[in-house]
């Protein structure tokens, strides 16, 4: 049994990347794993001030919000799933704030397997390159990180448009195989 933390960046309650997260969660739970799905839209996560208070305070950030709890959960997880819709070829603001705030404990969070989930209205070969690169960038900065897989939910815009698309089955199967 693995501890899996899913970080859903979608600001839409029934967004396509959020639905892919739910399928990944369902598959991972069906396989007997311990899974927690956090919707970043429901959390208060301020942007990094680059003050480096955390550097001299054992990874504790000067900003008192929900990020401290999320960092604890990231440290406790075996697997971290990061999900974001594509916004102007990049991650959304919720995910970017989380990535930047991870600086407080980037030397502590280690040996994690990362999975990435993305959704986009566009269906071109390169639409997700920057988004994926941004999420992979965090993992590259964390010692011992490895990649488990990527889900590409392309060609979907309206909430729920992902239903019936191959990415939904892929998300379930990937979650089940963790």
């Amino acid at each position: 049994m693995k501890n899996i933390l899913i970080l859903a960046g979608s600001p839409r309650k029934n967004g396509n990347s959020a639905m892919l997260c739910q399928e990944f969660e369902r598959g991972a739970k069906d396989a007997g794993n311990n899974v927690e799905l956090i919707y970043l839209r429901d959390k208060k996560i301020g942007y990094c001030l680059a003050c480096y208070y955390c550097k001299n305070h054992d990874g504790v950030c000067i900003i008192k919000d929900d990020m401290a709890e999320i960092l604890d959960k990231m440290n406790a997880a075996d697997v971290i799933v990061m999900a974001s819709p594509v916004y102007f070829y990049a991650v959304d603001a919720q995910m970017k704030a989380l990535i930047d705030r991870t600086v407080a404990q980037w030397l502590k969070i280690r040996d994690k397997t990362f999975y990435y989930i993305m959704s986009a209205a566009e269906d071109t070969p390169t639409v997700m390159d920057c988004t994926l690169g941004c999420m992979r960038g965090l993992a590259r900065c964390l010692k011992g990180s490895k990649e488990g897989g990527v889900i590409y939910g392309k060609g979907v815009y309206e909430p729920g448009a992902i239903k019936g698309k191959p990415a939904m089955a892929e998300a379930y199967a990937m979650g089940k195989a963790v």
Side-chain angles (χ1 to χ4, degrees), residues 69-140:
E69 175 190 353
I70 293 171
L71 286 170
D72 288 345
K73 291 173 187 232
M74 289 174 77
N75 275 302
D78 302 304
V79 172
I80 298 173
V81 179
M82 298 175 73
S84 178
V86 174
Y87 278 22
F88 295 102
Y89 302 100
V91 293
D92 65 13
Q94 293 81 351
M95 184 58 69
K96 183 61 172 133
L98 178 131
I99 289 169
D100 291 349
R101 290 288 299 286
T102 303
V103 72
Q105 294 191 16
W106 75 280
L107 294 173
K108 292 182 178 187
I109 302 170
R110 48 184 17 187
D111 303 319
K112 308 301 177 192
T113 301
F114 280 84
Y115 289 83
Y116 307 106
I117 295 173
M118 297 165 295
S119 64
E122 201 174 301
D123 189 11
T124 61
T126 60
V127 67
M128 297 179 170
D129 290 357
C130 186
T131 307
L132 182 56
C134 188
M135 293 189 289
R136 280 179 171 160
L138 172 64
R140 284 188 186 121

